Amino acid sequence: MVSAHEAQPPAQPPVRPSTQVLVASNRGPVSYTLGTDGSLDAKRGGGGLVSGLSAVDDKLWVCAALGDGDREAVRRGVGEPGVRMLDIDADVHADAYNGIANSVLWFVHHMLYQTPLEPVFDAEFRRQWASFETYNRAFAEALAEEAEQGAAVLVQDYHLALVPGMLRELRPDLRIGHFSHTPWAPVDYFRLLPDDIAEQLLHGILGADRAAFLTRRWADAFIGCCTQILGGTGHTRIGVHGLGADADFLRRRAHEADVDERMAALREQTGPGRRTIVRVDRTELSKNIVRGLLAYRALLDERPEWRERVVHVAFAYPSRQDLAVYRDYTAEVQRVADEINAVYGTAGWTPVVLHVKDDFARSLAAYRLADVALVNPIRDGMNLVAKEIPVVSDHGCALVLSREAGAYEELGSDAVVVNPYDVSATAAALHEALTMADDERAARTERLAAAAVALPPQQWFLDQLDALRRD
Ligand code: F6P
């Protein structure tokens, strides 16, 4: 007979929950350029995720190789510690990124289709969708291979919407989160997608323990889609984390010498004493830069007293130039800006100062000197420019803000709020912002800045991680 003592299973060391954190995103924190002499030049990116993840020690970032330089870096085994780049077949990646993520999912969530003619879901779409699945599977497999038992995996954005479901099947032990940095489409619009694709996308994200969004509105839209299309959200918990501006970094960086130099150069371009209406965007179809220019033209037209007294400083940095529709939009921004300058400009006054070459120091310079910030997207997950400008503004800045930007939820009460399609109302809002009394503008800027920094990037990231590990 075996005694009770002997019957005990051998003592197991207590299983410590893994501290490892994996992040997965299409674009990683570093990119490589291949020089003509064969050298590889690494460029590190910024943004909320880079800053957020810096709060964690035990981490791995899984991302895709995006260009020739990245692919060469993978082949040579060159890399950053803590980053694994996936060399996914270039054609598969192009189908997944340009074909599905940028041309379908981005369009759906930002409601950008001109529906009489698009979208068209045909055999070509199905072919690209198969690539999108292959690309998502490559991420799921890499994560499954790299993750320790019980690790936390934070999957980013629409590009990787299928990953949580795929990873759950491979590794049921993991804590999986998904975060959407974009809006989520309302159900009637989401239903433009073929039924099986809509279901697959929702099931993909619902493979996560937690699906999180930038605002309550986008979270509710996702819940609405799940409820009406699938009958519910299953076991997946829904979270909201409104990414805020990184005040410490911005305030320090905005007072470095290169920013001061660019402020002087901008002042030179705008002319002394003139008011400035500033916008800073990547030239995405959702940013509504053309209607912003049209509103400015309407202001000059309807209120001639502003001529010679104001300058629209518009920074429209290139984005997704592989897509013809983005190239066309970029050209239209340039065309409308040139037209305004041709019609209204004088010997000593250029009404629109448009810059299209990305320059972070110059963006900060414009943030500091802006009298009015124009943030009028058709639809935007958050829009950090709306949060960053009040934080670094030198003398207070009135914010003209679209009610369709995620930032509206937190900043709406101290902004001049616009319907982004209403050009006349936007022109009136610009006038209101330009004529706001100094003390009111200063007081509003102070409140905007306080709201903007409520959840800095590191806390934003740690909150998600805590919530994922907790429940
Ligand atoms: O702003 C939304 C967003 O999806 C970000 O999460 C992401 O960094 C970016 O857009 C993707 O842009 P790109 O296509 O240039 O990688």
Side-chain angles (χ1 to χ4, degrees), residues 170-220:
L170 295 169
R171 291 289 304 272
D173 60 294
L174 299 176
R175 291 281 186 162
I176 305 172
H178 184 275
F179 196 90
S180 292
H181 295 257
T182 60
W184 193 271
V187 64
D188 286 351
Y189 206 87
F190 192 72
R191 278 193 153 136
L192 290 180
L193 290 165
D195 292 354
D196 61 320
I197 300 293
E199 286 174 24
Q200 200 182 337
L201 283 167
L202 297 175
H203 280 306
I205 291 181
L206 292 178
D209 296 289
R210 213 165 168 271
F213 297 84
L214 284 165
T215 69
R216 189 69 250 167
R217 182 179 176 194
W218 314 140
D220 286 344

Side-chain angles (χ1 to χ4, degrees), residues 176-368:
I176 305 172
H178 184 275
F179 196 90
S180 292
H181 295 257
T182 60
W184 193 271
V187 64
D188 286 351
Y189 206 87
F190 192 72
R191 278 193 153 136
L192 290 180
L193 290 165
D195 292 354
D196 61 320
I197 300 293
E199 286 174 24
Q200 200 182 337
L201 283 167
L202 297 175
H203 280 306
I205 291 181
L206 292 178
D209 296 289
R210 213 165 168 271
F213 297 84
L214 284 165
T215 69
R216 189 69 250 167
R217 182 179 176 194
W218 314 140
D220 286 344
F222 176 75
I223 294 169
C225 287
C226 292
T227 309
Q228 295 204 39
I229 295 172
L230 304 179
T233 51
H235 297 297
T236 304
R237 286 168 286 115
I238 307 296
V240 175
H241 304 272
L243 176 62
D246 192 343
D248 296 341
F249 165 72
L250 287 168
R251 289 194 178 122
R252 183 173 34 78
R253 183 68 187 88
H255 287 87
E256 287 178 12
D258 58 344
V259 177
D260 289 334
E261 278 164 29
R262 282 159 176 79
M263 270 182 89
L266 277 175
R267 279 274 172 239
E268 187 97 349
Q269 284 183 308
T270 59
R274 291 196 173 112
R275 297 300 191 97
T276 55
I277 299 171
V278 167
R279 76 172 308 136
V280 178
D281 292 289
R282 298 204 310 172
T283 308
E284 281 156 8
L285 306 177
S286 43
K287 297 296 184 184
N288 210 21
I289 303 169
V290 171
R291 282 196 196 83
L293 287 163
L294 296 178
Y296 178 64
R297 183 163 72 185
L299 175 82
L300 299 179
D301 210 31
E302 289 155 22
R303 298 183 185 272
E305 70 269 24
W306 283 115
R307 294 183 198 171
E308 306 261 5
R309 289 180 52 222
V310 66
V311 173
H312 185 13
V313 176
F315 296 167
Y317 300 144
S319 173
R320 303 181 192 156
Q321 292 292 299
D322 286 347
L323 297 179
V325 64
Y326 274 71
R327 293 196 296 274
D328 293 350
Y329 187 74
T330 304
E332 182 63 3
V333 168
Q334 184 74 58
R335 191 192 67 75
V336 178
D338 289 346
E339 194 177 274
I340 295 172
N341 285 338
V343 172
Y344 297 94
T346 61
W349 172 55
T350 306
V352 181
V353 170
L354 174 68
H355 285 290
V356 296
K357 190 170 175 302
D358 196 345
D359 180 340
F360 185 57
R362 195 185 47 213
S363 300
L364 290 173
Y367 284 7
R368 282 181 55 190

Side-chain angles (χ1 to χ4, degrees), residues 25-28 46 49 66 97-98 101-102 106 110 156-159 179-183 214 282 284 286-287 318-320 326 380-383:
S25 66
N26 175 63
R27 190 177 293 278
L49 209 50
L66 298 182
Y97 174 65
N98 284 322
N102 288 342
W106 184 274
H110 293 83
Q156 310 299 314
D157 251 339
Y158 51 97
H159 315 90
F179 196 90
S180 292
H181 295 257
T182 60
L214 284 165
R282 298 204 310 172
E284 281 156 8
S286 43
K287 297 296 184 184
S319 173
R320 303 181 192 156
Y326 274 71
D380 211 334
M382 173 57 75
N383 197 298

